[in-house]
Amino acid sequence: MMIEALIAVALIGALVTFIAPNRIAGKLAFAISLVPAALSLWLLAAFDGSGNALLDGELAFESQAAWLEVGDYSISWFVGLDGISLPLVVLTTILCTLAIVSSWTPIDERESQFYGLILFIEANLIGVFSALDFFLWFVFWEAVLIPMYLLIGIWGGPRRKYAAIKFFVYTNVASLVMFGAFIALVFGLGDSVTSFALPEIATAMLDGGPEGLFGLGGTTLASVVFVAMFLGFAVKVPIVPFHTWLPDAHVEAPTPASVLLAGVLLKMGTYALLRFNFTMFPDQVAAYAVPIAAIAVISVIYGAMLALAQTDLKRIVAYSSVSSMGYVILGLVAYTQFGVGGATFQMVSHGLISGLMFMAVGVIYNATHTRMVTDMSGMADRMPIAVGILIAGAFGYMGLPLMSGFAAEYFIFFGAFGSGIPYAPLFTALAMFGIVIVAGYLLFALQRTVFGPYRLETDYEVGRAPVHDVASMVVLLGLIIALGVAPDLIFDMITDAIDPIIQGGEF
């Protein structure tokens, strides 16, 4: 019942925070969030699962109870963790706690509602990464959208309503496409499945696949479902050309919402791709490997080039997320242990690094009330600690050895280069060139913003960052270095859950 405890604490905490006085809401939410964070770290230490949750693996902290009957299919409360989902649950609880702390400076109105929504997001994110029944998973998946829409739409910038609506429409339409495709797949599987339990559906897919539906043969139906689900999840990742909602959402969102959006919500898309497309459809992965690899490389290069053209620090970090998620897609389609394992490791690594970068940009904005590279310089003289952490995070993005970004990218490149994808060395080389562009736009932004003589085009006096803001960034930087120095802290459990997926599926 440990997973239920994590979700319940966050949900009850959200309700309590909603009705708490504004003056204590931030500290109360922080205290409540420490409980899921501590519990998730205990789950990590006590983890005794093995294999993959969908492929007859030994689940950790498993719990299942009958819920509903829908026609011939049963729906259950079915949760459990394996080496893929557990690191993402830990990432969620840690980032939510730190996002709350980073809210203490910029959020000064309707605090109770703001912190309650963050805890509500946390509960549903834990559900997304632990649910093993499709309907239960979809409830959590959709429930995440509502609080993020409100966080952007209420506490965001001048164009917050436009950004919030764009975010909601894009992701909701994508969810509809994905949902319809998966339901068609379940019906197409016929009598081989009697529930919406993901392990049962995955087994049926690998044992023979769908019989057909709507006049489509089994193979054709599987291909249509694969493409539809891939497109639905691609919007959430996001990958080019479905990325246009992301910069607007990031720029208008308050800093803590950007931390959660880049750090965890984008990982919902890559996690779903791994759980559904790349686990249940190995034949389709092989058939579409070249176009998927091309999409991954385009996302890497195009996202980095867009970041290079920006002068808003938040937009720079936002577009860099598009580039980084391209690496995840390349690792997944490689279908090798290091490729898929590296992609999963990159989900965690990017969550930490992007969270750190958005926090650092937020701290600078709180002090200067501008994010434009052209409006300031010499910030290192006034905010040496915060700027030092920003520089360290940027080097993590660039893949500096002994930081998690380097480990993630090395695993992905190693796995992709040696994969059976046609033209794999070429795809890998092109993706590696993205690192050069990343270094270009980050170094350009840092040189203009933090070095040189002090200059600020606004009427604010810049001082040192508050201790709680610095402390949040120090925690994230410490985790980035820890995973860079010792990636086996989570990589071994990841590869243990990855191996069943790629066995017999390499091409």
Side-chain angles (χ1 to χ4, degrees), residues 400-456:
L400 184 72
L402 301 183
M403 301 185 83
S404 62
F406 172 82
E409 290 169 1
Y410 172 78
F411 292 149
I412 290 171
F413 294 149
F414 184 82
F417 188 87
S419 72
I421 304 172
Y423 316 110
L426 176 61
F427 284 126
T428 306
L430 290 173
M432 292 177 69
F433 180 70
I435 298 177
V436 178
I437 307 176
V438 170
Y441 67 70
L442 286 176
L443 291 176
F444 171 78
L446 291 175
Q447 182 181 17
R448 295 285 299 275
T449 305
V450 304
F451 299 117
Y454 173 74
R455 177 181 61 84
L456 182 61

Side-chain angles (χ1 to χ4, degrees), residues 6 8 66 81 86 125 142 162 177 212 215 238 265 273-274 286 396 406 425 496:
L6 280 171
L81 298 172
L86 179 55
L125 285 170
E142 287 295 282
Y162 167 78
V177 172
L265 266 70
L273 281 172
L274 175 54
F406 172 82
D496 181 65

Side-chain angles (χ1 to χ4, degrees), residues 4-270:
E4 288 86 347
L6 280 171
I7 297 172
V9 169
L11 280 177
I12 296 172
L15 178 60
V16 171
T17 305
F18 264 116
I19 61 178
N22 284 330
R23 59 186 175 80
I24 66 167
K27 304 301 189 295
L28 176 62
F30 170 67
I32 292 171
S33 71
L34 289 176
V35 178
L39 285 175
S40 69
L41 291 173
W42 181 86
L43 295 181
L44 186 65
F47 179 74
D48 60 353
S50 63
N52 188 279
L54 271 59
L55 303 175
D56 297 323
E58 293 293 329
L59 288 173
F61 316 109
E62 179 182 2
S63 177
Q64 187 170 14
W67 183 14
L68 298 171
E69 295 291 333
V70 180
D72 297 330
Y73 301 94
S74 61
I75 299 173
S76 63
W77 173 274
F78 185 12
V79 294
L81 298 172
D82 65 3
I84 295 172
S85 52
L86 179 55
L88 293 171
V89 169
V90 176
L91 173 69
T92 297
T93 60
I94 291 175
L95 275 185
C96 284
T97 297
L98 298 179
I100 289 171
V101 176
S102 70
S103 307
W104 291 351
T105 299
I107 304 302
D108 56 5
E109 61 178 2
R110 304 179 70 171
E111 292 97 322
S112 299
Q113 291 83 3
F114 182 90
Y115 293 111
L117 288 172
I118 289 185
L119 290 173
F120 186 71
I121 286 179
E122 178 176 16
N124 288 290
L125 285 170
I126 294 169
V128 167
F129 296 131
S130 61
L132 294 170
D133 179 280
F134 176 75
F135 263 94
L136 177 65
W137 174 86
F138 190 74
V139 169
F140 286 125
W141 175 274
E142 287 295 282
V144 170
L145 302 181
I146 301 169
M148 183 54 69
Y149 167 81
L150 294 173
L151 288 174
I152 298 172
I154 297 175
W155 289 273
R159 300 176 71 244
R160 57 185 178 273
K161 292 182 179 179
Y162 167 78
I165 292 172
K166 189 174 182 180
F167 159 77
F168 193 84
V169 170
Y170 265 70
T171 53
N172 212 35
V173 170
S175 295
L176 178 62
V177 172
M178 173 271 295
F179 181 83
F182 194 83
I183 295 301
L185 174 66
V186 173
F187 289 159
L189 287 170
D191 296 335
S192 59
V193 295
T194 59
S195 74
F196 286 94
L198 296 180
E200 181 181 353
I201 295 170
T203 299
M205 283 297 298
L206 298 177
D207 284 347
E211 301 169 358
L213 191 68
F214 306 129
L216 299 176
T219 301
T220 303
L221 176 62
S223 295
V224 171
V225 170
F226 176 86
V227 172
M229 294 186 68
F230 184 90
L231 294 176
F233 295 137
V235 174
K236 179 73 76 174
V237 172
I239 57 177
V240 175
F242 307 107
H243 66 287
T244 57
W245 63 268
L246 183 65
D248 291 319
H250 271 310
V251 168
E252 300 305 323
T255 295
S258 290
V259 170
L260 294 180
L261 182 59
V264 192
L265 266 70
L266 303 189
K267 312 309 177 290
M268 291 168 57
T270 50

Side-chain angles (χ1 to χ4, degrees), residues 319-338:
Y319 279 118
S320 69
S321 292
V322 176
S323 181
S324 295
M325 291 300 97
Y327 289 125
V328 174
I329 303 301
L330 180 63
L332 291 177
V333 77
Y335 237 63
T336 60
Q337 184 188 69
F338 278 96

